[in-house]
Amino acid sequence: MRTILIGPPGAGKGTQAEMLTAKYGIPHISTGDMLRQAVKEATPMGLKAKTFMDSGALVPDDVMIGIVAERLARDDCANGFLLDGFPRTVAQAEALTDILSGLRISLNGVADIEVDDDILLRRLTGRRVCGECAATYHVANRPPAREGVCDKCGGELYQRPDDNAETAETRLKVYKEQTLPLIDYYSKQGLLRKIRGDTGLENVFREICGALE
Ligand code: AMP
């Protein structure tokens, strides 16, 4: 299974990606998680990316393409992978097409998870993330058993700096301007599968599996 999850911030890509990668035994490649790890470790790339991320803007294409090209060439991607949060621009999608053809592999499909803006904003502003294992929760929809503590690893939960209302709105705007054109890009290649993302976790999961298999 070689696939991409597309969808606005808050569509549930991360949660669905966790479920899909567990089912298919493939690596979950989340460029957002990779960048947050680099910020945490204060690497030169992390320091550069942080300014873009905190304002809700995209990190420059050349940085992102380099990270993903290196990650896809690793052995654990030989039997498949799931990309979550990449590509996010047409330039990234075109670079991905080149990377994959260089590796002599192709995509099975691209799932586009669609959710209305008002729901997305509620999901983003209520989201909490584990600082240790990156598991996600929601203060109302999916609270942890103990407030502020991750059910899976006991790590401390925090609110992402880019999940405040103002930055969340900017991220939705950036999505519409820079990422929505990918729907057309992958439709033309016959790879796109549209999925409604507000029908419940298990239902969305079944629909994505059905669409990609
Ligand atoms: P995410 O966790 O996918 O919502 O990503 C968080 C932030 O990381 C985004 O708002 C961007 O600033 C940055 N980012 C993640 N993936 C990409 C990408 N493919 N291209 C550019 N910026 C990205």
Side-chain angles (χ1 to χ4, degrees):
M1 175 73 70
R2 287 180 293 273
T3 188
I4 301 175
L5 292 186
I6 294 188
K13 297 187 297 296
T15 309
Q16 292 297 330
E18 278 176 32
M19 295 162 77
L20 290 161
T21 51
K23 172 169 171 160
Y24 295 106
I26 50 176
H28 173 191
I29 305 180
S30 158
T31 44
D33 284 348
M34 290 162 90
L35 291 171
R36 278 184 289 279
Q37 187 62 31
V39 170
K40 197 170 159 187
E41 290 169 6
T43 66
M45 193 261 289
L47 295 175
K48 185 175 170 200
K50 188 174 179 349
T51 329
F52 295 98
M53 295 169 78
D54 285 352
S55 69
L58 294 184
V59 175
D61 285 334
D62 57 336
V63 177
M64 299 314 301
I65 292 165
I67 295 177
V68 171
E70 187 271 328
R71 182 65 189 85
L72 287 175
R74 288 202 218 151
D75 289 348
D76 65 340
C77 293
N79 295 320
F81 54 80
L82 184 150
L83 281 167
D84 159 15
F86 183 97
R88 254 176 158 103
T89 64
V90 172
Q92 291 181 15
E94 288 170 348
L96 178 64
T97 301
D98 290 346
I99 293 167
L100 296 179
S101 77
L103 294 168
R104 297 182 190 285
I105 51 179
S106 53
L107 293 168
N108 291 77
V110 176
D112 167 35
I113 310 180
E114 303 194 334
V115 178
D116 294 340
D117 283 5
D118 54 334
I119 301 179
L120 292 172
L121 286 172
R122 275 203 301 277
R123 285 188 184 177
L124 289 170
T125 51
R127 175 160 67 184
R128 298 293 180 270
V129 185
C130 175
E132 297 299 323
C133 73
T136 57
Y137 298 85
H138 188 278
V139 287
N141 305 339
R142 200 149 75 112
R146 258 182 66 209
E147 197 186 325
V149 181
C150 179
D151 292 345
K152 291 184 182 155
C153 75
E156 194 178 335
L157 304 185
Y158 74 103
Q159 181 175 33
R160 279 172 45 174
D162 57 348
D163 275 345
N164 66 72
E166 194 190 338
T167 314
E169 293 226 28
T170 306
R171 288 160 62 208
L172 290 188
K173 192 162 163 272
V174 166
Y175 176 79
K176 285 177 188 155
E177 287 170 2
Q178 304 199 47
T179 309
L180 265 187
L182 295 189
I183 306 292
D184 201 36
Y185 181 85
Y186 287 116
S187 278
K188 284 189 178 139
Q189 298 182 19
L191 289 170
L192 197 81
R193 308 285 179 267
K194 281 186 189 291
I195 312 282
R196 277 232 59 90
D198 56 359
T199 58
L201 216 83
E202 292 296 337
N203 202 45
V204 174
F205 179 60
R206 266 195 306 277
E207 284 205 25
I208 297 178
C209 294
L212 296 176
E213 283 167 9

